[in-house]
Amino acid sequence: VHQTQAEFGVRTVSSYVHPRTKSFALKVNGHPIFLVGGNWVTTDQFLRFAGSKTRYLHELLLLRNAGFNCVRVWGGGISETDHFFESADSLGLLVYQEFWLTGDNNGRWAGRYDWPEDHGAMLENARDVIVRLRNHPSLAWYGGGNELYPLPSDDNRSEVSPPF
């Protein structure tokens, strides 16, 4: 018999148009929340110290103590580690995890619109990350990149079925 033990949390994040500001807004567990946060570009891109949960906890604690309640993990870096998400969970932070697509892939800064070349590999990696991170209550949403524009002629990118 195979058994797996995991901590998990349940949080509902929903979006709506704020009636007064007419802008995008979020609710967490049915309660409106004003997001205060910033961009996280991994502090250890080569994962030399990734085994230290204490390090992640201290770094994220700096953000929370500065008033942040949300952190965007930049898509030009990595999908953050389990220690990162465990620390964010314990501190009550929301995390916006981008996938590995950035503005460099839109053709404006020497990138190409048709990236990634292997869409199947990209989808496999995305599925793996979604399955790995899905139990973390800190994970508020995923982003498919920023400053990107879909190719209107590419029917293969128009729909992606959920990985689970």
Side-chain angles (χ1 to χ4, degrees):
V1 175
H2 177 76
Q3 291 183 332
T4 300
Q5 183 175 344
E7 291 186 24
F8 71 95
V10 177
R11 179 183 298 185
T12 300
V13 178
S14 57
S15 63
Y16 67 103
V17 176
H18 192 279
R20 190 181 63 202
T21 64
K22 308 290 188 236
S23 62
F24 172 82
L26 290 179
K27 290 182 181 181
V28 175
N29 296 335
H31 300 281
I33 184 170
F34 183 78
L35 297 179
V36 178
N39 198 31
W40 174 273
V41 178
T42 186
T43 58
D44 185 20
Q45 188 75 22
F46 297 112
L47 301 176
R48 296 166 298 163
F49 309 106
S52 173
K53 184 176 178 180
T54 302
R55 180 175 181 209
Y56 281 109
L57 185 64
H58 288 163
E59 290 177 348
L60 290 174
L61 187 59
L62 289 171
L63 299 180
R64 195 187 75 182
N65 288 344
F68 286 27
N69 61 10
C70 184
V71 178
R72 170 193 174 225
V73 177
W74 177 59
I78 62 172
S79 295
E80 267 301 345
T81 66
D82 291 330
H83 288 319
F84 171 91
F85 278 92
E86 290 164 6
S87 298
D89 293 345
S90 70
L91 294 171
L93 293 170
L94 294 171
V95 178
Y96 160 28
Q97 173 67 62
E98 283 190 340
F99 289 110
W100 324 279
L101 302 168
T102 67
D104 296 340
N105 300 320
N106 67 13
R108 290 189 291 179
W109 296 293
R112 296 190 351 236
Y113 279 104
D114 59 351
W115 192 90
E117 292 181 15
D118 187 342
H119 294 175
M122 175 67 190
L123 291 176
E124 284 181 43
N125 284 315
R127 284 182 189 99
D128 288 346
V129 168
I130 290 168
V131 169
R132 180 174 64 88
L133 300 179
R134 66 184 171 188
N135 290 335
H136 290 284
S138 60
L139 179 65
W141 69 96
Y142 297 100
N146 63 9
E147 303 168 355
L148 300 173
Y149 306 101
L151 294 174
S153 63
D154 191 346
D155 293 333
N156 293 326
R157 296 187 203 189
S158 61
E159 291 189 27
V160 176
S161 58
F164 40 83

